[in-house]
Every structure is written in structure tokens, then in C-alpha cells.
Amino acid sequence: MPEPRGYHPFFEASNIDSLESERCLYLQFVFKAMRSFIIVGHKATTAPNFSLEDIPGTSGRLDILCRAVTAAFVLSHGIRKDVCVYLVLLGGEIPKTIQLRGETLRHLNPDERTTAALLKKALAVPATAEWAMSTSGIFVRTGGLAEVLADLKDAKLIYLREDGADIRSLDIADLDVSSLSGEMAFILGDHTGMTPDEESLIEQAGAKVVSLGPTSLHADHCVVLINWLLDTNVFMPE
Amino acid sequence: MPEPRGYHPFFEASNIDSLESERCLYLQFVFKAMRSFIIVGHKATTAPNFSLEDIPGTSGRLDILCRAVTAAFVLSHGIRKDVCVYLVLLGGEIPKTIQLRGETLRHLNPDERTTAALLKKALAVPATAEWAMSTSGIFVRTGGLAEVLADLKDAKLIYLREDGADIRSLDIADLDVSSLSGEMAFILGDHTGMTPDEESLIEQAGAKVVSLGPTSLHADHCVVLINWLLDTNVFMPE
């Protein structure tokens, strides 16, 4: 079979750990880097009093964020340990952020309702400006996008927007993760898009603006695609 | 910016209709071809008496199929018209299949519960060997995988299995859709994998066995990826 266009020779290397060349060690570093996803819910509730029987109708579309969470973490047989998700909830009196960390995350199932129940618990925790733990691997605090971007100041920020550059044009040189924390953070909006103020914040933080293509997709589908692009080593050094 | 590896020049052609060369008309034909997804739910209930408050626990994991349905159809601002989904439900006394057709599909929202409610309605329709309509674009009949494969005998069948060939090695010549119905049908299992009998059926139907990579993914995430690979024209002729 001829080598297909867009083929990356490490696609089939399911156990990169077993490869020993310097190049592979480099790849191993890059592709095992932490992946963060920041999803902004402009109407998403900051209170736990929504109904699990009607999540879209009672929570300011927290269902969108629930699906993004499962897209970020859930594999056929486990949870991605190298993923961190920040849900920025702007539908209350003051913004709150929920953080989910794969390395210690527990009780996450692939269905939407279970995820919503975990977020409901987190929203019942009294929130201050410091992270407070809800269930294992889930934390909550007050504050919004600016605070998350400040936390991730050493990460390479990538903002998904429909008019951005083809995501497949990103390469290691663009990302320059080797000289930073090794963390990549992808910023996604919900169904309402970012406000001009948020656009400014993201631009000032130095995010690259990229697109997954001409078809406008839901946030959770974007997260699935980003995970796959990273899993299959699309962003390879020359 | 240098042309990245894996870059396809039609990626940015959001309106392929406006392109006029013979090559583009060919591409237009290929990429507007019907996409079918067949998802086999080995334990999935064929009765409508499951609980919308606990879909995973009461329906034989119909939640997996619900998420595959939304992954197949839902865009940010609409429904994919060129998609058809077959859900093969094997968790009852006799198998049933639910068909969802994008061209006439109504009432589908992105959340899992709404989809489950639509499937519940379809399962309440008395099923015979002929398709009976439930709500707009949703049909049900008795019969399982063999009957679906018989219906799709003119489609190019592609079976997703972890040990298959790299999906990106598929090209137009492999698919040969131009000489058939123009329809591509992707076969996916649920969390339990296919039985030996199902494997035989799929092999006899002439399906190509392909993989999305070394990381084992949920069915709905596979559907997201296939849609994107087709949207972004990865399977281009030389």
C-alpha cells in the first residue's frame, strides 16, 4: 500500500515508550504534554439548583459543557490522565470556574446526566477565589476567563475560532512547547461565541487562532478532534 | 507559512459548489455522497420501557447509541442532511433496527435525553419486517445487522476496528464510490465488540477494516472523527 497523503509514521506506534531514538524521546515529551481545554459557558449557571431532568432548559446550557467534559476525558476503557478541563461559568451573579483534572478525576461516566450531577455537586461547594475540592479531581472557585488565562500563562494557548488558520498548519515550531511548560491549552466558546472583551483577553494572552475547518461544530466535537489530532501525532517536527 | 504535512488544498474551500473544474465536480460528487453509520448495540433494549432518568442503567446502554446519533447529525447550526444512521438493537427477544435519516429528521437536539426520548417513541411503534415511521425521519423495523447490510449492498462498507488499517490510507480508488451508489457506510460496535458471527457477516459483505488509531475510542467519538475526515476531504484522489 502506498504511503497515503497526510500519513504520519508514528500513527501506529501505540507504545511510544518502547521507542528509543532521540527523536522519539522528543516526540514522547511533546505528545505526553498536558492538554488543557477551556470552555466558556456564557449563560451557564453558577448555582446547583438546576434540574437533571432538563439540563439544557434549566442550567443555561450546562449540557454543552457536560459533553465537552466527557469528550475531553473519556476513553473506551478509562480516563485520560493528561487532560485538564476548565469550565468558565458566566451565567450567575459572579463568574465561577470548575476545574477537572484527569490525574485524580473519579466517578466520571460517559453519560451526560452523571457529568451534570458531578458539576451540580461542585456548584454546591462554597466558592472563594481559591480552588476548593468538590469530588476527587473536581475543583471550584470564583473568577472567570481572565483568571484561567493567568493560571495558564506558561502554556501554549490555542483559540478555536471558525475563521482561524487550518489547525493542521500548526507544527512544533509554532507551538514551541519545548521551551515552555509543555502544556497546550485550547480555548473554545459555547453556542454564543466570545464577546469582544473575551476576544481581547485571549489576544493579549498570545493565543494562536486556529480552525478545524469550514463546518461549524459543537464544542464537544472540537474537543474530540483535538484529542485525536494530538493522539495521532499530527503536530510532528520535521 | 509552509504547506503543512497532511494539508489538503480543498480544506479551505467552504463552498465547493462554486468551484468549476472537472476535478472539483468529481470531488463534489464524492464528498456530497451519502454517509451512513451502522452502530450495533448488543445489549440495547428493543422495548420503550426504560427510564429517561437512568438511561445507561435501564436501557442496555442505549446512551451509547444516543451519543452516536447526535455525533452523526448535529452541527452548530443545523442537522447534517446527508447522513443516515442505523441503530441495531440486540437486547430484546427479537432484534430491531431504528433508522434515522437526516433529510427529514426533526426534533433532534444535541442533548442525550432528547435523543433517548425520540428512540423511546420509535420503540413504542409496533415493528414488523417493513420500516414504519415514528416521528419525522425516524423509522423502525424488526431485523438486525444482516438486514441492514442487505439494504446497503451497493454502498462501500467500512468497518471500524482497532486492529484495522490506518483510516487515512483509504483513498478514492479504495473506496470506488464513483462506480457504486456513492454511499459510504461505516460499521461500529458498542462497548462489547462484535461477535464472531457478526464479524463473518461483515467480512462476507466485503467491508474494509480500518482503524482510527492506537487509542481506543467510544463509538460517538469515532463518528465525530469520520464526519470530520469526510468534511475536510482527507480521502482525495491523486
Side-chain angles (χ1 to χ4, degrees):
Chain A
M1 190 183 290
E3 184 171 284
R5 283 141 302 132
Y7 181 84
H8 302 293
F10 284 88
F11 181 68
E12 291 179 2
S14 57
N15 183 7
I16 291 183
D17 288 358
S18 70
L19 303 173
E20 290 175 8
S21 75
E22 193 176 331
R23 175 181 161 85
C24 292
L25 285 171
Y26 177 63
L27 283 173
Q28 183 180 339
F29 167 75
V30 171
F31 298 123
K32 296 213 159 171
M34 196 74 186
R35 310 173 185 178
S36 289
F37 297 97
I38 305 161
I39 304 117
V40 180
H42 291 94
K43 309 273 188 197
T45 186
T46 56
N49 58 349
F50 62 90
S51 166
L52 293 177
E53 273 71 65
D54 180 12
I55 306 167
T58 61
S59 69
R61 298 305 309 275
L62 207 62
D63 61 306
I64 295 173
L65 306 193
C66 291
R67 289 191 295 276
V69 166
T70 42
F73 288 110
V74 174
L75 291 171
S76 264
H77 308 289
I79 293 290
R80 291 180 188 269
K81 300 286 182 199
D82 58 346
V83 166
C84 180
V85 169
Y86 297 85
L87 303 177
V88 178
L89 313 175
L90 303 178
E93 285 184 21
I94 54 164
K96 280 189 189 176
T97 300
I98 295 177
Q99 183 188 177
L100 301 97
R101 300 193 68 85
E103 58 212 353
T104 53
L105 187 58
R106 297 285 178 278
H107 316 302
L108 186 75
N109 289 328
D111 70 299
E112 206 167 300
R113 186 187 165 102
T114 309
T115 310
L118 287 173
L119 300 185
K120 199 176 173 75
K121 275 189 187 172
L123 291 176
V125 172
T128 69
E130 302 297 319
W131 291 115
M133 194 171 90
S134 171
T135 49
S136 182
I138 305 186
F139 307 85
V140 64
R141 74 171 178 203
T142 56
L145 183 60
E147 288 79 0
V148 173
L149 293 176
D151 284 0
L152 293 169
K153 65 182 188 305
D154 291 334
K156 188 69 199 177
L157 295 173
I158 298 159
Y159 171 32
L160 275 283
R161 201 175 62 193
E162 286 170 35
D163 62 350
D166 180 344
I167 194 169
R168 293 172 294 186
S169 68
L170 284 178
D171 66 18
I172 292 297
D174 283 329
L175 290 170
D176 196 23
V177 286
S178 60
S179 67
L180 294 168
S181 64
E183 182 166 5
M184 283 180 271
F186 297 86
I187 308 164
L188 297 97
D190 60 4
H191 60 305
T192 63
M194 297 291 182
T195 65
D197 283 353
E198 288 162 349
E199 290 281 350
S200 296
L201 269 178
I202 293 167
E203 187 184 347
Q204 284 161 25
K208 280 205 168 283
V209 185
V210 303
S211 163
L212 283 160
T215 308
S216 181
L217 302 173
H218 278 262
D220 59 322
H221 295 178
C222 295
V223 172
V224 168
L225 291 165
I226 292 164
N227 266 333
W228 185 78
L229 290 168
L230 293 170
D231 289 345
T232 54
N233 304 351
V234 167
F235 308 126
M236 282 181 64
E238 293 295 344
Chain B
M1 188 182 291
E3 184 172 284
R5 282 140 304 131
Y7 181 83
H8 302 292
F10 284 88
F11 181 69
E12 291 178 2
S14 56
N15 183 5
I16 291 181
D17 287 357
S18 69
L19 303 172
E20 289 173 7
S21 75
E22 192 175 331
R23 173 182 161 85
C24 292
L25 286 171
Y26 177 63
L27 284 173
Q28 183 180 338
F29 167 75
V30 171
F31 299 123
K32 295 211 162 175
M34 196 74 185
R35 310 172 184 179
S36 288
F37 296 97
I38 305 162
I39 303 117
V40 180
H42 291 94
K43 309 273 188 196
T45 186
T46 55
N49 58 350
F50 61 90
S51 165
L52 293 177
E53 273 72 64
D54 180 12
I55 306 166
T58 62
S59 69
R61 299 305 308 275
L62 206 62
D63 61 306
I64 295 172
L65 307 192
C66 291
R67 289 191 295 276
V69 166
T70 42
F73 287 111
V74 174
L75 291 170
S76 265
H77 308 289
I79 293 289
R80 291 180 188 270
K81 300 286 182 199
D82 58 346
V83 166
C84 179
V85 169
Y86 297 85
L87 303 177
V88 178
L89 312 175
L90 303 178
E93 285 183 21
I94 55 163
K96 281 189 188 176
T97 300
I98 295 177
Q99 184 188 176
L100 301 97
R101 301 193 67 85
E103 58 211 353
T104 53
L105 188 58
R106 296 285 178 278
H107 316 302
L108 186 75
N109 288 329
D111 71 299
E112 204 167 301
R113 187 188 165 100
T114 309
T115 311
L118 287 172
L119 300 185
K120 200 177 173 74
K121 275 190 187 171
L123 291 176
V125 172
T128 69
E130 303 297 320
W131 291 115
M133 195 171 89
S134 171
T135 49
S136 181
I138 304 186
F139 306 84
V140 64
R141 74 172 178 202
T142 55
L145 183 60
E147 288 79 0
V148 173
L149 292 176
D151 283 1
L152 293 169
K153 65 182 188 304
D154 292 333
K156 189 68 198 176
L157 295 173
I158 298 160
Y159 171 32
L160 275 283
R161 202 176 61 193
E162 287 170 34
D163 62 348
D166 181 343
I167 195 169
R168 292 171 296 186
S169 68
L170 284 177
D171 66 18
I172 293 297
D174 283 329
L175 289 171
D176 195 22
V177 285
S178 60
S179 66
L180 295 168
S181 63
E183 183 166 4
M184 281 180 272
F186 297 86
I187 309 164
L188 298 98
D190 60 3
H191 60 306
T192 64
M194 296 291 182
T195 65
D197 283 354
E198 287 162 350
E199 290 281 348
S200 296
L201 269 177
I202 293 167
E203 188 184 346
Q204 284 160 23
K208 279 204 169 285
V209 185
V210 302
S211 163
L212 282 160
T215 307
S216 181
L217 302 173
H218 277 263
D220 58 322
H221 296 178
C222 294
V223 171
V224 168
L225 290 164
I226 292 164
N227 266 333
W228 183 77
L229 289 168
L230 293 169
D231 288 346
T232 55
N233 303 351
V234 167
F235 307 126
M236 282 181 65
E238 292 295 342

